[in-house]
Amino acid sequence: MLSIHNLHAGIEDKKILKGINLTINRGEVHAIMGPNGSGKSTLASVLAGREHFEVTEGTVEFDGKNLLELAPEERAGEGLFLAFQYPVEIPGLTTTNFIKTAVNEVRKYRGEEPLDAVGFLKLMKEKMALMEMPQSLLSRSLNEGFSGGEKKRNEIFQMAMLQPKLAILDETDSGLDIDAIRIVANGVNKFRNENNAVLVITHYQRLLDYIVPDYVHVLYNGRIVKSGTRDLALELEEKGYDFIKNEVEAV
Amino acid sequence: MNDGISTIEQQVLRDYKYGFVTNIEADEAPRGLNEDIIRFISAKKQEPEWMLEWRLKAYRHWLKMEEPKWANIKYDPINYQDIIYYSAPKQKKAPKSLDEIDPELKRTFEKLGISLEEQKRLTGVAVDAVIDSVSIATTFKEQLAEQGIIFCSMSEAIREHPELVKKYLGSVVPVTDNYFSALNSAVFSDGSFCYIPEGVRCPMELSTYFRINAENTGQFERTLIVAEKGSYVSYLEGCTAPMRDENQLHAAVVELVAMENAEIKYSTVQNWYPGDKDGVGGIYNFVTKRGICLGDHSKISWTQVETGSAITWKYPSVILKGDYSVGEFYSVAVTNNHQQADTGTKMQHIGKHTRSRIVSKGISAGFSNNSYRGLVNVSKNAVNARNFSQCDSLLLGDKCGAHTFPYIEVKNNTAIVEHEATTSKIGEDQLFYCNQRGIDTETAVALIINGFAKEVMNQLPMEFAVEAQKLLAISLEGSVG
């Protein structure tokens, strides 16, 4: 579904991604781990199409399309979703209204009729129950005054509403206590199926206790330096990132 | 709920939608201003002698006045001798019913989305339609009359209800008040008059739709609303004009009078032609709007959505004379391209326990300049006066300006006056977040500004709110990204 080949990207003269290769198939959950500054969030932003970053080399194919040619909203329409590390606030815009607009814009991109009020409400009720999303959050202004946990829950709720093919979770666990992590992870697990894929970006392995990945990759200094199964995450947890650094530098 | 957003995708709306000209013959006064022109206007309207005298007095005073220079706006001098002060669509005779109105005129209002036909009954809005200098039609007159409500054109009011007009016209905005109101008093051509008798709650929204059509004309309408004891009225005003390369002057005066326990809610959606992208053409909108809470426990509330005009100079104000009276001002002013707005309010606390609330939201884009100018004045005897003001500015881009000029004068130490102000920019982060959810940048801007303006939009009557949301989005198209 997603195939990244030799991806290089950065800001102005600063190179951040230095040749990423990664393939994700339907039904898979991949985790990318790495120390601070290794380029994890940059990778998420580049995939989502943030203009801030410049791609200097490489290709990204998403479901047969050249992802890098598409505008961010087109990528969303194609089924790529990014759960933000720092979701933004929009005062005065209710969460419901925001999500309704998003759902209908994506439907429009796909050539589908917009959902009317009744249809939207039905979908929302269904996903609210599934994601344990409280009604009170939805009638408030988007993310305004939300706690860290509420913001992340809102991200996962939006993912459930938009039903993307690929969901990228950018450090969704950062700043969350264990209960909040569990709720968020539950949401992701309910979302998973054989037709979609999830890319979990995280600094800590504890999130992976709840969202169990099929593959784990270690990003270091802009490159994937090691890939493996879930055991790799556990090894990292035990030995710390220094073990990777030493290994890489030894080569 | 999302109607406001789906419309922007229609690329046709990129330009000023109301910029068409209706081809109707007009009955016009010669260009320029002198006493003969004023006599001409007065005669055209078959006015009584006292009205003509009133106009002439205003004109003579105006000649001695100077155009105000204190506002934060720039424009070339206006040549008052180059304006046509009276223009009326030629109709063979005065229409007795809607059927007799020139079909071309009716189509004009239909294009504007205002049907004068009876289907308006469905939305329950009574409409007075004013084109250039005259009122074309007022709907629902009979139904309103059953409850003793008078809703008619100002010309008709002068003829039919002279005692009321004499008593209240100029009682809130005196002839000598300011340069533009004096000019208006001399040459005003039409407008709406509305009188709500004691204890009556007006059963429908009253609305006036103003349209400037003819070339080189100015529009000088005059609106007067009187709400007797314990009555209530909600009044809406909308305005549009064709696209023309020259600037056209609009200098209106609105006066509101609220007696004991009466409430007047006055909403405006101002969408005069703003000029083109380079700042050529557009309406100069110099308007004096003022209400007086004459009786105890009375309330006047102004809500305005200002998206049009090349220049807006306007300060809807409330004189809080009655004890426990309440004044409110809710405003969204949008400026784009080369538009300039200097707008705000005055709250004059005179009575005891009077309260006022000001919520102003300024949105600037392009090369525009947007200023809030407000005065809160608490006089010596206004015990326990209370004011809260909130002035927020939102900037799109880095070539526009937002300014706030709040003046506070307090002469009674029991007063509590609060002022809050914020300035923000639409962030790249906010836009990217929306984009990532499949929402394109223009729709995202519309969502963000409608969120920003929500507190004011919520004050608008339902049928206006949807229209106003669309307007905000359209006014700012192409200003980001």
Side-chain angles (χ1 to χ4, degrees):
Chain A
M1 177 191 298
L2 181 77
S3 161
I4 305 174
H5 181 71
N6 192 31
L7 182 66
H8 290 252
I11 303 177
E12 285 160 14
D13 292 335
K14 192 174 174 236
K15 291 185 126 197
I16 302 172
L17 302 181
K18 303 166 184 167
I20 301 272
N21 292 294
L22 178 67
T23 301
I24 299 177
N25 297 308
R26 270 167 215 286
E28 293 176 353
V29 173
H30 289 240
I32 290 188
M33 302 184 67
N36 291 330
S38 57
K40 300 189 300 287
S41 285
T42 301
L43 177 61
S45 293
V46 167
L47 292 177
R50 184 153 214 161
E51 273 179 30
H52 196 54
F53 298 98
E54 197 194 347
V55 175
T56 49
E57 210 181 321
T59 58
V60 181
E61 201 185 288
F62 180 59
D63 231 18
K65 292 222 163 82
N66 179 353
L67 192 72
L68 300 178
E69 275 184 350
L70 301 177
E73 61 270 25
E74 293 170 325
R75 301 183 193 198
E78 291 292 334
L80 185 139
F81 179 91
L82 172 64
F84 284 68
Q85 184 177 4
Y86 304 110
V88 306
E89 301 180 2
I90 301 183
L93 172 63
T94 64
T95 305
T96 305
N97 195 5
F98 175 73
I99 297 176
K100 188 177 176 200
T101 307
V103 166
N104 282 334
E105 288 292 304
V106 166
R107 290 179 71 94
K108 191 170 74 186
Y109 181 83
R110 295 176 187 161
E112 296 165 3
E113 287 291 307
L115 286 181
D116 61 12
V118 177
F120 177 76
L121 209 66
K122 206 176 140 224
L123 177 70
M124 205 167 77
K125 287 250 146 78
E126 179 197 320
K127 301 297 179 191
M128 273 165 64
L130 195 67
M131 298 288 140
E132 303 170 58
M133 183 73 176
Q135 170 75 49
S136 59
L137 285 186
L138 295 171
S139 45
R140 281 165 55 186
S141 288
L142 184 66
N143 291 322
E144 199 186 27
F146 283 28
S147 70
E150 287 169 337
K151 283 184 183 171
K152 298 300 171 72
R153 254 164 111 161
N154 190 12
E155 293 294 287
I156 301 304
F157 178 70
Q158 290 178 41
M159 175 188 78
M161 289 294 289
L162 290 165
Q163 286 295 312
K165 292 177 199 156
L166 173 68
I168 302 168
L169 313 183
D170 187 10
E171 308 220 12
T172 298
D173 53 334
S174 69
L176 297 193
D177 61 28
I178 205 75
D179 293 329
I181 288 183
R182 212 174 280 146
I183 291 172
V184 162
N186 265 338
V188 175
N189 288 330
K190 285 175 186 162
F191 164 77
R192 288 175 71 167
N193 63 40
E194 67 276 16
N195 288 316
N196 60 32
V198 179
L199 177 61
V200 183
I201 291 173
T202 180
H203 188 77
Y204 302 104
Q205 100 81 31
R206 80 182 163 170
L207 179 64
L208 306 181
D209 287 340
Y210 301 97
I211 304 171
V212 180
D214 301 301
Y215 302 97
V216 174
H217 312 277
V218 181
L219 191 64
Y220 177 68
N221 196 15
R223 283 191 195 92
I224 289 177
V225 293
K226 206 171 169 83
S227 293
T229 58
R230 167 120 209 271
D231 296 339
L232 178 58
L234 296 170
E235 193 181 351
L236 272 177
E237 167 101 331
E238 194 185 314
K239 298 183 181 167
Y241 284 111
D242 282 345
F243 123 83
I244 294 286
K245 289 180 193 168
N246 295 338
E247 218 170 77
V248 171
E249 270 143 31
V251 169
Chain B
M1 207 173 180
N2 272 331
D3 285 13
I5 292 128
S6 58
T7 26
I8 356 182
E9 291 118 35
Q10 300 168 17
Q11 299 293 316
V12 278
L13 291 182
R14 282 203 161 270
D15 296 316
Y16 185 71
K17 178 182 157 190
Y18 307 98
F20 59 87
V21 179
T22 309
N23 281 317
I24 29 175
E25 259 192 279
D27 184 4
E28 288 181 344
R31 265 174 213 243
L33 185 56
N34 53 51
E35 294 203 0
D36 285 344
I37 293 288
I38 291 164
R39 285 175 211 282
F40 173 89
I41 295 170
S42 191
K44 273 281 170 198
K45 305 194 118 13
Q46 302 161 341
E47 286 176 354
E49 189 59 28
W50 62 266
M51 197 64 240
L52 174 63
E53 284 309 316
W54 198 83
R55 288 176 179 276
L56 289 171
K57 194 180 136 212
Y59 174 66
R60 287 166 196 153
H61 190 83
W62 177 74
L63 287 175
K64 288 183 260 169
M65 297 175 92
E66 271 188 40
E67 217 173 302
K69 295 275 181 276
W70 43 262
N72 187 23
I73 51 179
K74 286 190 193 78
Y75 57 96
D76 291 335
I78 298 170
N79 182 355
Y80 291 92
Q81 294 306 333
D82 201 32
I83 294 171
I84 295 167
Y85 287 86
Y86 182 85
S87 170
K90 231 179 215 166
Q91 300 217 58
K92 295 206 173 57
K93 56 181 187 324
K96 288 206 173 53
S97 75
L98 289 175
D99 299 334
E100 289 180 27
I101 293 174
D102 186 336
E104 190 65 33
L105 272 182
K106 271 206 259 184
R107 273 195 292 277
T108 301
F109 281 97
E110 264 150 36
K111 269 199 231 174
L112 296 170
I114 313 141
S115 165
L116 299 174
E117 305 292 337
E118 290 297 299
Q119 64 250 37
K120 262 292 161 188
R121 189 190 293 276
L122 297 172
T123 55
V125 179
V127 180
D128 182 22
V130 176
I131 196 157
D132 293 337
S133 308
V134 293
S135 167
I136 300 303
T138 310
T139 58
F140 290 106
K141 247 178 166 159
E142 293 80 15
Q143 289 90 325
L144 291 166
E146 281 166 21
Q147 301 202 37
I149 297 168
I150 303 167
F151 180 43
C152 63
S153 72
M154 187 55 88
S155 314
E156 192 182 326
I158 292 167
R159 291 194 303 269
E160 308 288 327
H161 310 282
E163 67 300 335
L164 285 173
V165 176
K166 257 189 203 172
K167 186 168 173 192
Y168 294 110
L169 191 71
S171 71
V172 191
V173 179
V175 165
T176 54
D177 189 77
N178 70 69
Y179 189 79
F180 295 108
S181 70
L183 177 64
N184 173 284
S185 302
V187 302
F188 78 85
S189 33
D190 221 328
S192 298
F193 173 74
C194 139
Y195 176 83
I196 318 292
E198 189 171 334
V200 172
R201 201 182 158 83
C202 186
M204 58 181 87
E205 309 277 350
L206 300 184
S207 148
T208 302
Y209 222 94
F210 295 102
R211 171 83 180 164
I212 298 177
N213 188 59
E215 225 170 329
N216 301 315
T217 52
Q219 182 157 334
F220 305 92
E221 83 268 1
R222 185 108 196 173
T223 298
L224 172 60
I225 300 177
V226 179
E228 290 286 4
K229 275 185 187 171
S231 67
Y232 168 85
V233 62
S234 168
Y235 182 91
L236 321 171
E237 163 195 80
C239 352
T240 57
M243 293 194 265
R244 296 193 188 278
D245 290 342
E246 87 271 18
N247 296 106
Q248 283 177 288
L249 179 63
H250 171 253
V253 172
V254 176
E255 295 176 280
L256 312 181
V257 180
M259 304 302 182
E260 198 179 321
N261 280 312
E263 180 177 350
I264 303 174
K265 200 172 152 59
Y266 194 105
S267 312
T268 305
V269 174
Q270 186 266 105
N271 186 26
W272 296 118
Y273 177 53
D276 70 8
K277 287 192 167 51
D278 303 314
V280 177
I283 303 291
Y284 288 169
N285 190 32
F286 296 99
V287 172
T288 305
K289 289 182 169 179
R290 194 176 303 154
I292 183 163
C293 286
L294 214 49
D296 296 349
H297 299 279
S298 55
K299 179 176 176 182
I300 289 177
S301 179
W302 297 100
T303 303
Q304 60 173 22
V305 176
E306 303 281 320
T307 59
S309 297
I311 297 175
T312 295
W313 179 99
K314 166 177 177 190
Y315 315 90
S317 307
V318 185
I319 302 167
L320 297 153
K321 191 148 185 270
D323 294 345
Y324 297 95
S325 59
V326 177
E328 291 177 336
F329 174 73
Y330 295 95
S331 168
V332 176
V334 181
T335 52
N336 196 1
N337 299 319
H338 292 271
Q339 280 177 278
Q340 309 175 66
D342 192 301
T343 184
T345 185
K346 274 191 277 187
M347 293 291 174
Q348 311 259 24
H349 293 257
I350 297 169
K352 299 179 177 69
H353 309 283
T354 47
R355 281 181 293 141
S356 63
R357 181 178 174 82
I358 298 168
V359 178
S360 164
K361 305 271 179 178
I363 303 168
S364 349
F367 300 90
S368 70
N369 235 332
N370 202 327
S371 305
Y372 167 82
R373 186 184 303 277
L375 169 67
V376 176
N377 183 324
V378 178
S379 61
K380 219 166 73 193
N381 298 322
V383 179
N384 288 330
R386 183 98 174 76
N387 162 268
F388 174 76
S389 304
Q390 166 114 31
C391 300
D392 298 328
S393 306
L394 185 67
L395 297 167
L396 284 77
D398 52 13
K399 293 184 180 63
C400 50
H403 315 269
T404 307
F405 305 100
Y407 302 88
I408 297 172
E409 294 168 6
V410 179
K411 299 194 183 77
N412 183 306
N413 61 12
T414 58
I416 302 174
V417 177
E418 279 177 83
H419 180 90
E420 286 178 12
T422 65
T423 302
S424 52
K425 266 185 95 160
I426 289 191
E428 200 195 315
D429 286 354
Q430 286 175 318
L431 292 176
F432 180 65
Y433 187 81
C434 293
N435 292 157
Q436 209 301 305
R437 296 299 184 254
I439 301 168
D440 65 39
T441 299
E442 294 214 330
T443 309
V445 169
L447 286 176
I448 294 167
I449 57 164
N450 278 311
F452 174 75
K454 191 179 181 186
E455 201 181 340
V456 174
M457 299 303 229
N458 283 347
Q459 297 294 325
L460 288 174
M462 197 55 187
E463 55 274 21
F464 251 36
V466 175
E467 203 50 37
Q469 277 200 3
K470 288 183 199 171
L471 208 51
L472 281 193
I474 293 163
S475 309
L476 291 168
E477 265 184 28
S479 52
V480 168

PDB file of all heavy atoms in Angstrom, chain B residues 167-187:
ATOM      1  N   LYS B 167     -41.989  64.445  15.597  1.00  0.00           N
ATOM      2  CA  LYS B 167     -41.581  64.266  16.979  1.00  0.00           C
ATOM      3  C   LYS B 167     -40.213  63.595  17.088  1.00  0.00           C
ATOM      4  O   LYS B 167     -39.401  63.949  17.937  1.00  0.00           O
ATOM      5  CB  LYS B 167     -42.645  63.426  17.696  1.00  0.00           C
ATOM      6  CG  LYS B 167     -42.416  63.297  19.187  1.00  0.00           C
ATOM      7  CD  LYS B 167     -43.643  62.712  19.866  1.00  0.00           C
ATOM      8  CE  LYS B 167     -43.368  62.424  21.331  1.00  0.00           C
ATOM      9  NZ  LYS B 167     -44.440  61.615  21.912  1.00  0.00           N
ATOM     10  N   TYR B 168     -39.965  62.604  16.231  1.00  0.00           N
ATOM     11  CA  TYR B 168     -38.779  61.780  16.456  1.00  0.00           C
ATOM     12  C   TYR B 168     -37.634  61.978  15.464  1.00  0.00           C
ATOM     13  O   TYR B 168     -36.485  61.663  15.777  1.00  0.00           O
ATOM     14  CB  TYR B 168     -39.159  60.295  16.474  1.00  0.00           C
ATOM     15  CG  TYR B 168     -40.032  59.937  17.654  1.00  0.00           C
ATOM     16  CD1 TYR B 168     -41.365  59.598  17.493  1.00  0.00           C
ATOM     17  CD2 TYR B 168     -39.494  59.966  18.947  1.00  0.00           C
ATOM     18  CE1 TYR B 168     -42.162  59.279  18.579  1.00  0.00           C
ATOM     19  CE2 TYR B 168     -40.284  59.661  20.043  1.00  0.00           C
ATOM     20  CZ  TYR B 168     -41.621  59.315  19.851  1.00  0.00           C
ATOM     21  OH  TYR B 168     -42.390  59.005  20.933  1.00  0.00           O
ATOM     22  N   LEU B 169     -37.946  62.462  14.275  1.00  0.00           N
ATOM     23  CA  LEU B 169     -36.876  62.611  13.280  1.00  0.00           C
ATOM     24  C   LEU B 169     -35.861  63.639  13.781  1.00  0.00           C
ATOM     25  O   LEU B 169     -36.215  64.763  14.131  1.00  0.00           O
ATOM     26  CB  LEU B 169     -37.463  63.050  11.935  1.00  0.00           C
ATOM     27  CG  LEU B 169     -36.486  62.979  10.751  1.00  0.00           C
ATOM     28  CD1 LEU B 169     -36.206  61.537  10.372  1.00  0.00           C
ATOM     29  CD2 LEU B 169     -37.055  63.719   9.537  1.00  0.00           C
ATOM     30  N   GLY B 170     -34.628  63.252  13.844  1.00  0.00           N
ATOM     31  CA  GLY B 170     -33.596  64.164  14.331  1.00  0.00           C
ATOM     32  C   GLY B 170     -33.521  64.249  15.843  1.00  0.00           C
ATOM     33  O   GLY B 170     -32.749  65.020  16.397  1.00  0.00           O
ATOM     34  N   SER B 171     -34.332  63.448  16.535  1.00  0.00           N
ATOM     35  CA  SER B 171     -34.316  63.520  18.003  1.00  0.00           C
ATOM     36  C   SER B 171     -33.134  62.743  18.582  1.00  0.00           C
ATOM     37  O   SER B 171     -32.712  62.977  19.696  1.00  0.00           O
ATOM     38  CB  SER B 171     -35.643  63.008  18.577  1.00  0.00           C
ATOM     39  OG  SER B 171     -35.733  61.598  18.414  1.00  0.00           O
ATOM     40  N   VAL B 172     -32.616  61.795  17.848  1.00  0.00           N
ATOM     41  CA  VAL B 172     -31.479  61.013  18.332  1.00  0.00           C
ATOM     42  C   VAL B 172     -30.183  61.479  17.658  1.00  0.00           C
ATOM     43  O   VAL B 172     -29.145  61.614  18.302  1.00  0.00           O
ATOM     44  CB  VAL B 172     -31.678  59.498  18.077  1.00  0.00           C
ATOM     45  CG1 VAL B 172     -30.633  58.693  18.826  1.00  0.00           C
ATOM     46  CG2 VAL B 172     -33.078  59.056  18.474  1.00  0.00           C
ATOM     47  N   VAL B 173     -30.273  61.688  16.362  1.00  0.00           N
ATOM     48  CA  VAL B 173     -29.134  62.247  15.622  1.00  0.00           C
ATOM     49  C   VAL B 173     -29.568  63.635  15.146  1.00  0.00           C
ATOM     50  O   VAL B 173     -30.250  63.766  14.136  1.00  0.00           O
ATOM     51  CB  VAL B 173     -28.765  61.366  14.410  1.00  0.00           C
ATOM     52  CG1 VAL B 173     -27.586  61.980  13.651  1.00  0.00           C
ATOM     53  CG2 VAL B 173     -28.444  59.946  14.847  1.00  0.00           C
ATOM     54  N   PRO B 174     -29.220  64.678  15.890  1.00  0.00           N
ATOM     55  CA  PRO B 174     -29.666  66.008  15.497  1.00  0.00           C
ATOM     56  C   PRO B 174     -29.103  66.390  14.131  1.00  0.00           C
ATOM     57  O   PRO B 174     -28.054  65.879  13.715  1.00  0.00           O
ATOM     58  CB  PRO B 174     -29.081  66.926  16.577  1.00  0.00           C
ATOM     59  CG  PRO B 174     -28.641  66.021  17.682  1.00  0.00           C
ATOM     60  CD  PRO B 174     -28.397  64.679  17.096  1.00  0.00           C
ATOM     61  N   VAL B 175     -29.803  67.275  13.481  1.00  0.00           N
ATOM     62  CA  VAL B 175     -29.396  67.747  12.159  1.00  0.00           C
ATOM     63  C   VAL B 175     -27.924  68.168  12.160  1.00  0.00           C
ATOM     64  O   VAL B 175     -27.183  67.918  11.218  1.00  0.00           O
ATOM     65  CB  VAL B 175     -30.311  68.927  11.756  1.00  0.00           C
ATOM     66  CG1 VAL B 175     -29.737  69.711  10.593  1.00  0.00           C
ATOM     67  CG2 VAL B 175     -31.704  68.419  11.437  1.00  0.00           C
ATOM     68  N   THR B 176     -27.522  68.799  13.252  1.00  0.00           N
ATOM     69  CA  THR B 176     -26.174  69.366  13.307  1.00  0.00           C
ATOM     70  C   THR B 176     -25.140  68.387  13.840  1.00  0.00           C
ATOM     71  O   THR B 176     -24.008  68.761  14.111  1.00  0.00           O
ATOM     72  CB  THR B 176     -26.197  70.578  14.246  1.00  0.00           C
ATOM     73  OG1 THR B 176     -26.753  70.145  15.491  1.00  0.00           O
ATOM     74  CG2 THR B 176     -27.029  71.699  13.681  1.00  0.00           C
ATOM     75  N   ASP B 177     -25.519  67.140  14.013  1.00  0.00           N
ATOM     76  CA  ASP B 177     -24.642  66.184  14.705  1.00  0.00           C
ATOM     77  C   ASP B 177     -23.258  66.061  14.072  1.00  0.00           C
ATOM     78  O   ASP B 177     -22.251  66.183  14.753  1.00  0.00           O
ATOM     79  CB  ASP B 177     -25.302  64.808  14.733  1.00  0.00           C
ATOM     80  CG  ASP B 177     -24.541  63.838  15.611  1.00  0.00           C
ATOM     81  OD1 ASP B 177     -24.681  63.954  16.841  1.00  0.00           O
ATOM     82  OD2 ASP B 177     -23.799  62.996  15.065  1.00  0.00           O
ATOM     83  N   ASN B 178     -23.195  65.743  12.821  1.00  0.00           N
ATOM     84  CA  ASN B 178     -21.893  65.639  12.164  1.00  0.00           C
ATOM     85  C   ASN B 178     -22.059  65.908  10.679  1.00  0.00           C
ATOM     86  O   ASN B 178     -23.170  66.027  10.157  1.00  0.00           O
ATOM     87  CB  ASN B 178     -21.247  64.262  12.425  1.00  0.00           C
ATOM     88  CG  ASN B 178     -21.967  63.135  11.716  1.00  0.00           C
ATOM     89  OD1 ASN B 178     -21.933  63.028  10.490  1.00  0.00           O
ATOM     90  ND2 ASN B 178     -22.665  62.293  12.477  1.00  0.00           N
ATOM     91  N   TYR B 179     -20.948  66.009  10.012  1.00  0.00           N
ATOM     92  CA  TYR B 179     -20.916  66.402   8.606  1.00  0.00           C
ATOM     93  C   TYR B 179     -21.825  65.538   7.727  1.00  0.00           C
ATOM     94  O   TYR B 179     -22.634  66.037   6.959  1.00  0.00           O
ATOM     95  CB  TYR B 179     -19.466  66.301   8.131  1.00  0.00           C
ATOM     96  CG  TYR B 179     -19.221  66.864   6.767  1.00  0.00           C
ATOM     97  CD1 TYR B 179     -19.100  68.237   6.581  1.00  0.00           C
ATOM     98  CD2 TYR B 179     -19.071  66.032   5.662  1.00  0.00           C
ATOM     99  CE1 TYR B 179     -18.846  68.770   5.328  1.00  0.00           C
ATOM    100  CE2 TYR B 179     -18.812  66.551   4.408  1.00  0.00           C
ATOM    101  CZ  TYR B 179     -18.702  67.916   4.239  1.00  0.00           C
ATOM    102  OH  TYR B 179     -18.452  68.424   3.011  1.00  0.00           O
ATOM    103  N   PHE B 180     -21.689  64.222   7.894  1.00  0.00           N
ATOM    104  CA  PHE B 180     -22.441  63.341   7.011  1.00  0.00           C
ATOM    105  C   PHE B 180     -23.913  63.252   7.399  1.00  0.00           C
ATOM    106  O   PHE B 180     -24.777  63.078   6.546  1.00  0.00           O
ATOM    107  CB  PHE B 180     -21.803  61.955   6.982  1.00  0.00           C
ATOM    108  CG  PHE B 180     -20.427  61.984   6.377  1.00  0.00           C
ATOM    109  CD1 PHE B 180     -19.299  61.819   7.179  1.00  0.00           C
ATOM    110  CD2 PHE B 180     -20.251  62.224   5.030  1.00  0.00           C
ATOM    111  CE1 PHE B 180     -18.028  61.874   6.629  1.00  0.00           C
ATOM    112  CE2 PHE B 180     -18.988  62.292   4.464  1.00  0.00           C
ATOM    113  CZ  PHE B 180     -17.864  62.115   5.269  1.00  0.00           C
ATOM    114  N   SER B 181     -24.205  63.387   8.685  1.00  0.00           N
ATOM    115  CA  SER B 181     -25.610  63.333   9.079  1.00  0.00           C
ATOM    116  C   SER B 181     -26.309  64.632   8.666  1.00  0.00           C
ATOM    117  O   SER B 181     -27.494  64.625   8.328  1.00  0.00           O
ATOM    118  CB  SER B 181     -25.750  63.090  10.577  1.00  0.00           C
ATOM    119  OG  SER B 181     -25.343  64.211  11.312  1.00  0.00           O
ATOM    120  N   ALA B 182     -25.592  65.733   8.663  1.00  0.00           N
ATOM    121  CA  ALA B 182     -26.187  66.987   8.199  1.00  0.00           C
ATOM    122  C   ALA B 182     -26.490  66.893   6.706  1.00  0.00           C
ATOM    123  O   ALA B 182     -27.557  67.289   6.243  1.00  0.00           O
ATOM    124  CB  ALA B 182     -25.248  68.152   8.484  1.00  0.00           C
ATOM    125  N   LEU B 183     -25.528  66.341   5.962  1.00  0.00           N
ATOM    126  CA  LEU B 183     -25.736  66.156   4.531  1.00  0.00           C
ATOM    127  C   LEU B 183     -26.951  65.258   4.286  1.00  0.00           C
ATOM    128  O   LEU B 183     -27.819  65.544   3.466  1.00  0.00           O
ATOM    129  CB  LEU B 183     -24.481  65.538   3.897  1.00  0.00           C
ATOM    130  CG  LEU B 183     -24.565  65.218   2.406  1.00  0.00           C
ATOM    131  CD1 LEU B 183     -24.751  66.492   1.594  1.00  0.00           C
ATOM    132  CD2 LEU B 183     -23.314  64.476   1.936  1.00  0.00           C
ATOM    133  N   ASN B 184     -27.008  64.177   5.049  1.00  0.00           N
ATOM    134  CA  ASN B 184     -28.134  63.260   4.919  1.00  0.00           C
ATOM    135  C   ASN B 184     -29.450  63.977   5.212  1.00  0.00           C
ATOM    136  O   ASN B 184     -30.424  63.825   4.483  1.00  0.00           O
ATOM    137  CB  ASN B 184     -27.942  62.069   5.860  1.00  0.00           C
ATOM    138  CG  ASN B 184     -29.161  61.166   5.907  1.00  0.00           C
ATOM    139  OD1 ASN B 184     -30.156  61.501   6.531  1.00  0.00           O
ATOM    140  ND2 ASN B 184     -29.096  60.034   5.214  1.00  0.00           N
ATOM    141  N   SER B 185     -29.464  64.781   6.273  1.00  0.00           N
ATOM    142  CA  SER B 185     -30.701  65.476   6.645  1.00  0.00           C
ATOM    143  C   SER B 185     -31.171  66.389   5.525  1.00  0.00           C
ATOM    144  O   SER B 185     -32.364  66.575   5.323  1.00  0.00           O
ATOM    145  CB  SER B 185     -30.481  66.289   7.919  1.00  0.00           C
ATOM    146  OG  SER B 185     -30.059  65.444   8.969  1.00  0.00           O
ATOM    147  N   ALA B 186     -30.225  66.956   4.790  1.00  0.00           N
ATOM    148  CA  ALA B 186     -30.587  67.858   3.711  1.00  0.00           C
ATOM    149  C   ALA B 186     -31.144  67.108   2.511  1.00  0.00           C
ATOM    150  O   ALA B 186     -32.110  67.544   1.888  1.00  0.00           O
ATOM    151  CB  ALA B 186     -29.371  68.680   3.304  1.00  0.00           C
ATOM    152  N   VAL B 187     -30.542  65.978   2.184  1.00  0.00           N
ATOM    153  CA  VAL B 187     -30.878  65.351   0.891  1.00  0.00           C
ATOM    154  C   VAL B 187     -31.461  63.943   0.997  1.00  0.00           C
ATOM    155  O   VAL B 187     -31.653  63.288  -0.020  1.00  0.00           O
ATOM    156  CB  VAL B 187     -29.634  65.296  -0.031  1.00  0.00           C
ATOM    157  CG1 VAL B 187     -29.089  66.695  -0.267  1.00  0.00           C
ATOM    158  CG2 VAL B 187     -28.571  64.371   0.542  1.00  0.00           C
TER     159      VAL B 187
END
